[in-house]
C-alpha cells in the first residue's frame, strides 16, 4: 500500500487551473480500484492519496501522469507500507508481511 503525499510547488491559483483535470485523473484511478481515499491537507498546501494493489513502479508512473505533476504545480513523496491491520472496509487491501 502507498501513501502518496503531494505538495504544491506553485501558487494555489495555478493549482486550481488544473483541478478539473486532476479530479478526472483521480476518478479514473478510483474506478480502476487503485485509489482508496484522497483529500486536501490542512493547511491547504497539498494533498494525500491512499493507494494499493499495484507495484511501486506503477504507483510512481501514476504520479507522473497526474495533471498537477504534468503542469508542474506539485511534487510527490511516495511512502510504501504494509497494511497489516485495517478497518473491515479495507480488509481487501490488508497484507501479511513475509517474515
Amino acid at each position: 500500500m502507498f501513501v502518496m503525499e503531494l505538495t504544491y510547488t506553485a501558487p494555489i491559483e495555478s493549482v486550481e487551473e488544473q483541478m478539473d483535470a486532476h479530479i478526472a485523473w483521480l476518478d479514473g484511478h478510483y474506478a480502476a480500484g487503485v485509489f482508496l481515499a484522497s483529500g486536501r491537507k490542512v493547511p491547504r498546501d497539498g494533498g494525500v492519496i491512499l493507494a494499493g494493489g499495484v507495484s511501486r513502479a506503477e504507483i510512481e508512473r501514476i504520479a507522473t501522469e497526474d495533471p498537477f505533476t504534468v503542469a508542474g504545480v506539485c511534487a510527490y513523496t511516495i511512502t510504501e507500507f504494509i497494511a497489516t491491520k485495517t478497518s473491515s472496509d479495507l480488509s481487501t487491501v490488508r497484507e501479511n508481511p513475509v517474515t
Side-chain angles (χ1 to χ4, degrees):
M1 187 171 285
F2 300 93
V3 176
M4 304 170 69
E5 181 178 4
L6 60 109
T7 302
Y8 299 146
T9 58
I12 195 68
E13 296 79 19
S14 298
V15 172
E16 288 291 342
E17 290 173 6
Q18 303 301 320
M19 191 60 71
D20 288 344
H22 174 73
I23 291 170
W25 171 83
L26 287 169
D27 289 345
H29 291 292
Y30 274 108
V34 175
F35 290 173
L36 306 170
S38 61
R40 296 175 177 169
K41 293 192 294 187
V42 178
R44 189 177 177 196
D45 61 0
V48 175
I49 301 167
L50 185 61
V54 295
S55 68
R56 180 163 190 103
E58 180 68 7
I59 209 70
E60 288 174 354
R61 183 192 62 75
I62 288 169
T64 67
E65 295 173 348
D66 180 348
F68 283 174
T69 304
V70 173
V73 300
C74 85
Y76 272 93
T77 301
I78 299 172
T79 303
E80 186 172 3
F81 73 102
I82 298 171
T84 56
K85 188 164 182 67
T86 66
S87 70
S88 59
D89 292 336
L90 292 176
S91 64
T92 60
V93 297
R94 196 174 302 144
E95 301 172 73
N96 293 317
V98 177
T99 56

